[in-house]
Amino acid sequence: MSVTLLIEQLINGLQLGTMLFLMASGLTLVFGVMGLINLAHGSFYMVGAYVTALATASTGSFLLGLAAGVLAAAAAGAIVELLVIRRLYRRQHLDQVLATFALILIFSEGTRWLFGSAPLWLSPPEALSGSVALPGGSRYPVYRLVIIAVGVVVAAGLYLLIAHTRLGMRIRAGESDREMIGALGVNIRRLYTLVFALGAALAGLAGSLVGALQSVQVGMGEPVLILAFVVIVIGGIGSIKGALLGALLVGLVDTLGRVFLPALFGQFMAPSDAAGAGTALAAMLIYILMAVILAFKPKGLFAAHD
């Protein structure tokens, strides 16, 4: 195993972890404040990617497309909260799961009806299409490093928002005692709409950024949503700090496992058997990680209400 390959895969793991944090932070924020299980969160990821691809193609500017994608995801989140989610807060979690699963189907089939089943393609902006040298002589795409930087900025912004603003104070209070802040005069309905739109915007940002690394297609948010749920269970439901650490752990474990486990098994197994066994175990690694962490920390690494 070369040092260059290890460094490259570590950065890949950080980039995956950053994208998962953008997804998981919105998901855990919504659950922490509203107590809502939102299976449709991945649909906002898809909305962001689609709108970014279409807006970039029509304007020629990736930045304008990115802004349009984030705003579209936030608007879609606000509309969904007003029309559907608002009726689910006092319902059982099973009702929330069924309703938000129906939203997945509506978003997916609506997108297919509007844009067809063929994937869209989105390229990184020309200014970020280059690469930088890594130790050992290989090169790494600048755009992937920018995604990591965006994740760091968003994490810092969320910390400042939640810890040092009036809105953040209301969000923290809503996590602890929503009836009390309602009695104190806070418009709880408006707060819920803002939080849900913020969570949708974060998912849209993730989809917009990752859309330039892969095809933009119907259903692209569901596989990421599964990983985001693993992240918030590991980190602690309702904890932004837990979402960040959990996302980085999942990103690094998943990336390094998929690359190095087949090679490790190849030291004492036939190449074909090593590839099969290594790939199979690598696919299970994050779930094994989740099980081990929950065995010692049943509420996750940073349970919000401990």
Side-chain angles (χ1 to χ4, degrees):
M1 178 181 67
S2 68
V3 174
T4 301
L5 179 61
L6 177 60
I7 293 174
E8 182 177 340
Q9 296 308 317
L10 284 172
I11 299 175
N12 283 339
L14 290 176
Q15 184 258 303
L16 174 59
T18 298
M19 184 271 294
L20 290 176
F21 168 70
L22 294 176
M23 280 287 291
S25 58
L27 192 63
T28 199
L29 193 62
V30 167
F31 188 89
V33 175
M34 305 174 182
L36 177 81
I37 299 176
N38 179 25
L39 295 186
H41 196 67
S43 298
F44 303 126
Y45 176 93
M46 181 181 67
V47 167
Y50 262 89
V51 173
T52 297
L54 294 168
T56 300
S58 61
T59 64
S61 170
F62 180 82
L63 287 179
L64 288 177
L66 181 63
V70 174
L71 290 175
I79 292 170
V80 166
E81 197 278 337
L82 289 170
L83 297 180
V84 180
I85 302 300
R86 184 164 288 186
R87 294 165 172 79
L88 300 175
Y89 294 131
R90 298 186 182 277
R91 305 290 291 270
Q92 296 180 354
H93 287 321
L94 178 59
D95 296 332
Q96 297 172 357
V97 168
L98 293 174
T100 53
F101 180 74
L103 286 172
I104 294 177
L105 302 179
I106 292 171
F107 271 102
S108 295
E109 294 308 313
T111 302
R112 184 176 286 111
W113 177 68
L114 286 172
F115 305 111
S117 299
L120 303 180
W121 301 99
L122 174 65
S123 299
E126 186 175 347
L128 302 178
S129 60
S131 60
V132 297
L134 294 178
S138 67
R139 304 192 66 82
Y140 196 83
V142 171
Y143 184 74
R144 289 181 178 269
L145 296 176
V146 169
I147 292 178
I148 297 174
V150 169
V152 172
V153 170
V154 170
L158 283 174
Y159 168 75
L160 293 175
L161 172 68
I162 293 174
H164 298 288
T165 68
R166 183 173 293 275
L167 175 60
M169 179 180 65
R170 292 176 176 178
I171 290 173
R172 297 197 310 274
E175 291 177 340
S176 302
D177 194 337
R178 68 192 71 180
E179 288 79 12
M180 179 59 71
I181 66 168
L184 291 174
V186 175
N187 189 327
I188 194 71
R189 288 176 176 264
R190 184 180 303 167
L191 177 65
Y192 280 7
T193 303
L194 285 173
V195 170
F196 199 86
L198 174 60
L202 291 170
L205 175 60
S208 299
L209 292 171
V210 175
L213 299 177
Q214 62 185 46
S215 61
V216 177
Q217 57 188 336
V218 175
M220 62 184 293
E222 279 64 69
V224 181
L225 179 67
I226 295 172
L227 294 178
F229 273 115
V230 172
V231 165
I232 66 173
V233 169
I234 288 175
I237 296 174
S239 170
I240 297 296
K241 178 170 64 174
L244 177 59
L245 180 58
L248 294 178
L249 282 174
V250 169
L252 289 169
V253 168
D254 185 68
T255 301
L256 295 178
R258 292 180 187 277
V259 173
F260 294 118
L261 274 181
L264 177 63
F265 284 2
Q267 301 298 315
F268 52 85
M269 298 173 65
S272 59
D273 294 336
T279 302
L281 181 58
M284 296 185 289
L285 268 184
I286 59 171
Y287 304 104
I288 296 172
L289 172 67
M290 179 174 66
V292 170
I293 289 175
L294 291 181
F296 295 96
K297 300 277 289 185
K299 294 184 179 180
L301 294 174
F302 298 97
H305 303 297
D306 276 358

